[in-house]
Amino acid sequence: MRHVAGTSVLAATCLTLAACSGGDGKSDPQPSPRTALRFGQAAETAGAGGKGTAEITPETVVYVGRAAGGTPERGLFAVVTFQAGNRAERSVTTPAALGAFRWRTPDGKTVKAGNSEGAGRIDPDGFNDGGGKPVVRANTHQVNTVAFDITSTEKGGTLVYVDGEGVAFRWQVPSTNSGPTANALMAALK
């Protein structure tokens, strides 16, 4: 009986792996489904390549029709600050600057951070540059920003962060300017 159960598990694993492959020998990992976290709630995430652990906490969102980086192509920039923390004794590299952040709109579309020329150039004074510095030194926290070019009907979406192991973490984003540094971020974007 043990042999039959082991064979069934092996067969199911092979079918699962085959379903994740695009047939070209490259895997296409799909983020695992998770319940959306509260905006401001921390998530323990894997670093780039699955090495190390970084705590990612989105804290503030502001919506602006213009920023020092330019004018949005779709009508509105959604700028999110997030803390990247590392409690380990060694630095960890996050995939934040490699497209780990996405904005899922209320109608189900997904856009990547920096999805327009203006969103990619947003660099508010007093905050680390857009996309986040990928290396978080040992025993530190740093505040970074990511920006999305969206329409006004896409406010209040879901922020998605795909970590270094392909696991997706989701936060429901408020549809109005919110968070502890909203006023400072608004001033820095002018």
Side-chain angles (χ1 to χ4, degrees):
M1 189 62 151
R2 191 182 271 223
H3 178 62
V4 172
T7 303
S8 297
V9 169
L10 180 60
T13 302
C14 289
L15 288 172
T16 300
L17 290 174
C20 292
S21 175
D24 59 2
K26 297 178 183 175
S27 67
D28 182 19
Q30 298 299 313
S32 64
R34 290 189 181 265
T35 303
L37 301 167
R38 286 182 332 276
F39 199 71
Q41 186 176 1
E44 292 291 322
T45 68
K51 297 177 183 172
T53 302
E55 186 177 84
I56 302 296
T57 311
E59 297 183 311
T60 297
V61 62
V62 298
Y63 300 96
V64 295
R66 180 159 178 73
T71 304
E73 293 172 13
R74 302 182 73 213
L76 200 61
F77 288 129
V79 183
V80 177
T81 67
F82 67 95
Q83 272 199 38
N86 177 10
R87 290 182 262 168
E89 296 299 319
R90 302 183 102 169
S91 294
V92 63
T93 301
T94 72
L98 304 173
F101 279 104
R102 296 168 180 119
W103 185 275
R104 186 161 175 91
T105 65
D107 66 354
K109 290 185 254 174
T110 301
V111 295
K112 289 185 178 181
N115 61 317
S116 70
E117 189 175 324
R121 286 194 314 231
I122 289 181
D123 184 11
D125 290 336
F127 298 87
N128 287 330
D129 60 350
K133 292 186 178 182
V135 177
V136 184
R137 293 187 321 267
N139 295 307
T140 63
H141 279 79
Q142 61 193 36
V143 178
N144 298 294
T145 61
V146 290
F148 304 88
D149 194 331
I150 64 171
T151 66
S152 61
T153 61
E154 295 171 337
K155 291 168 64 172
T158 302
L159 182 68
V160 180
Y161 177 82
V162 180
D163 77 359
E165 291 181 340
V167 176
F169 296 86
R170 295 171 175 78
W171 293 267
Q172 186 60 51
V173 182
S175 59
T176 59
N177 295 348
S178 302
T181 59
N183 291 337
L185 182 57
M186 287 291 288
L189 290 168
K190 293 183 180 182

